[in-house]
Amino acid sequence: MKAVVYDRYGSPEVLRVEDVALPSPAAGQVRVKVAATSLNLSDWECLTGRPAYARIGGLRGPAHRTLGSDIAGVVDEIGDDVTGFGIGDEVYGDNLALMGGFAEYALAPESVLIRKPAGLTFAEASTIPQAGAIALQGTRKAVAGSRVLINGAGGGSGSFAIQLAKRLGAHVTGVDNAAKQDFMRSVGVDEVVDYGREDFTRAAPAYDLILDLVAHRSVFAYRRALARGGTYRCVGGNVRSLLRVLTAGSVTGLVTGRSIGVLVVREGPAHFKPLADLCVAGEVDIHVDRVFALDEVPAALARVGEGRALGKVVVAPS
Ligand SMILES: NC(=O)c1ccc[n+]([C@@H]2O[C@H](COP(=O)([O-])OP(=O)(O)OC[C@H]3O[C@@H](n4cnc5c(N)ncnc54)[C@H](OP(=O)(O)O)[C@@H]3O)[C@@H](O)[C@H]2O)c1
């Protein structure tokens, strides 16, 4: 089968398409003929090896030869002890532990997969698992009338998070680069901030909930941006900021009547299916930026890593 592989961290040029052996599922695993794999910032981080947390499990070189975790496709082989799926089932899920979605076939534990709803295409379904879990958990504290700010709102998780916070009745501000302002408006934000021109932590008003997809500021800046009783949660960003939030965040929050911390996103079908249900019901829209072929994975990753994607980028291996 064809797979996009790499052996060292670097730019998209380190990727190449190779013919590799068709893998066989171990006990508890299925083999999926991959129809679509959506890209996440985590794929870019594992490609470049930056921030440093992307090297966990792969200090000297990549932990996986083939990236791509959000897969959707058809089960074509099952391992021993698999009880939930049979050959021919249409499935999707976040295969973060094994990756391998930038290939014609991928192995996945059955526990990470769920049946694809008939109302979603493979490309649409592939956009949901990782970004959906982040968006659902990151907006859980949004309530009617609250002021919510999403930093990095023009990306994959952000476009779902905007819609979920709006559904809950919040007033939503989206922060991203200048080229994504119109996109954020089209998804439904009430206000936009161009991070190249304005520092949201220095502008009034204070927010009740901040979901930060790309943290890179000090704990004091986040405290400043929060209303009393407000909550700040980051899911990604540079290591320095994440460590500061982990260490000084809880203390600073406690003494100032705010909650500042890192959101460790729980993975698995139970954590993204509610969003898929909303998408099938037409209550949340899926924004697919572009669909690329397997040999275009370097270009697809560059589009995400260089911040040009509006919504989710998808690769269709077969
Ligand atoms: N905590 C967990 O358990 C967990 C699990 C999975 C993933 N994650 C993390 O969650 C995050 C999810 O990202 P995603 O897939 O939604 O990424 P994405 O689609 O790339 O979106 C991130 C957005 O942030 C923008 N951005 C970059 N720098 C910014 C800045 N300084 N201020 C404001 N916006 C900025 C990017 O645009 P430009 O680059 O063009 O500016 C992009 O639009 C990643 O950091 C990933 O590592 C965390």
Side-chain angles (χ1 to χ4, degrees):
M1 68 162 186
K2 297 218 177 305
V4 177
V5 302
Y6 76 132
D7 304 307
R8 62 187 166 89
Y9 295 116
S11 61
E13 287 81 61
V14 302
L15 298 164
R16 61 190 185 280
V17 180
E18 261 187 16
D19 280 313
V20 302
L22 192 62
S24 296
Q29 295 179 347
V30 303
R31 187 172 65 205
V32 177
K33 186 175 196 310
V34 184
T37 300
S38 86
L39 276 61
N40 293 291
L41 194 56
S42 50
D43 291 307
W44 175 257
E45 293 167 346
C46 289
L47 170 66
T48 59
R50 289 194 309 266
Y53 62 71
R55 297 187 184 219
I56 293 171
L59 210 54
R60 288 164 186 272
H64 304 281
R65 267 197 106 205
T66 298
L67 292 169
S69 62
D70 269 348
I71 58 171
V74 180
V75 173
D76 94 311
E77 182 79 314
I78 56 173
D80 291 342
D81 307 328
V82 169
T83 54
F85 300 108
I87 291 170
D89 285 346
E90 297 185 346
V91 294
Y92 72 114
D94 184 359
N95 196 21
L96 203 54
L98 298 184
M99 297 268 191
F102 300 147
E104 289 175 309
Y105 295 84
L107 299 181
E110 70 165 329
S111 58
V112 306
L113 299 172
I114 190 170
R115 279 192 176 69
K116 180 184 81 63
L120 298 179
T121 65
F122 286 109
E124 288 170 337
S126 76
T127 67
I128 291 174
Q130 192 172 120
I134 291 172
L136 281 165
Q137 290 165 53
T139 57
R140 208 171 25 209
K141 288 195 168 180
V143 293
S146 61
R147 298 194 71 97
V148 173
L149 179 136
I150 300 164
N151 191 38
S157 311
S159 56
F160 286 132
I162 291 170
Q163 297 180 74
L164 291 172
K166 285 298 299 174
R167 279 191 87 248
L168 295 167
H171 181 277
V172 181
T173 299
V175 185
D176 215 303
N177 69 41
K180 297 189 183 180
Q181 308 287 297
D182 286 344
F183 173 69
M184 290 191 289
R185 283 194 194 91
S186 74
V187 176
V189 285
D190 299 291
E191 287 172 48
V192 291
V193 174
D194 168 3
Y195 72 75
R197 294 167 61 96
E198 202 181 327
D199 177 351
F200 75 84
T201 67
R202 293 197 175 276
Y207 298 93
D208 301 302
L209 173 65
I210 297 175
L211 171 61
D212 198 349
L213 301 162
V214 281
H216 66 282
R217 291 184 172 85
S218 73
V219 165
F220 302 106
Y222 297 131
R223 186 207 58 76
R224 186 168 61 224
L226 276 180
R228 199 164 178 79
T231 299
Y232 168 89
R233 288 291 178 271
C234 58
V235 297
N238 71 37
V239 171
R240 196 159 167 239
S241 283
L242 292 173
L243 285 176
R244 282 163 161 178
V245 170
L246 269 175
T247 51
S250 53
V251 181
T252 308
L254 210 62
V255 297
T256 62
R258 293 153 175 88
S259 171
I260 298 175
V262 174
L263 176 68
V264 179
V265 180
R266 278 167 293 150
E267 300 156 22
H271 301 293
F272 62 76
K273 185 178 178 297
L275 179 64
D277 294 342
L278 290 171
C279 294
V280 171
E283 292 184 35
V284 169
D285 293 331
I286 295 170
H287 295 272
V288 175
D289 171 75
R290 228 174 109 177
V291 180
F292 289 83
L294 191 61
D295 59 359
E296 296 174 315
V297 164
L301 275 164
R303 192 164 172 80
V304 171
E306 291 162 8
R308 284 176 283 127
L310 302 176
K312 294 287 289 183
V313 170
V314 174
V315 167
S318 52

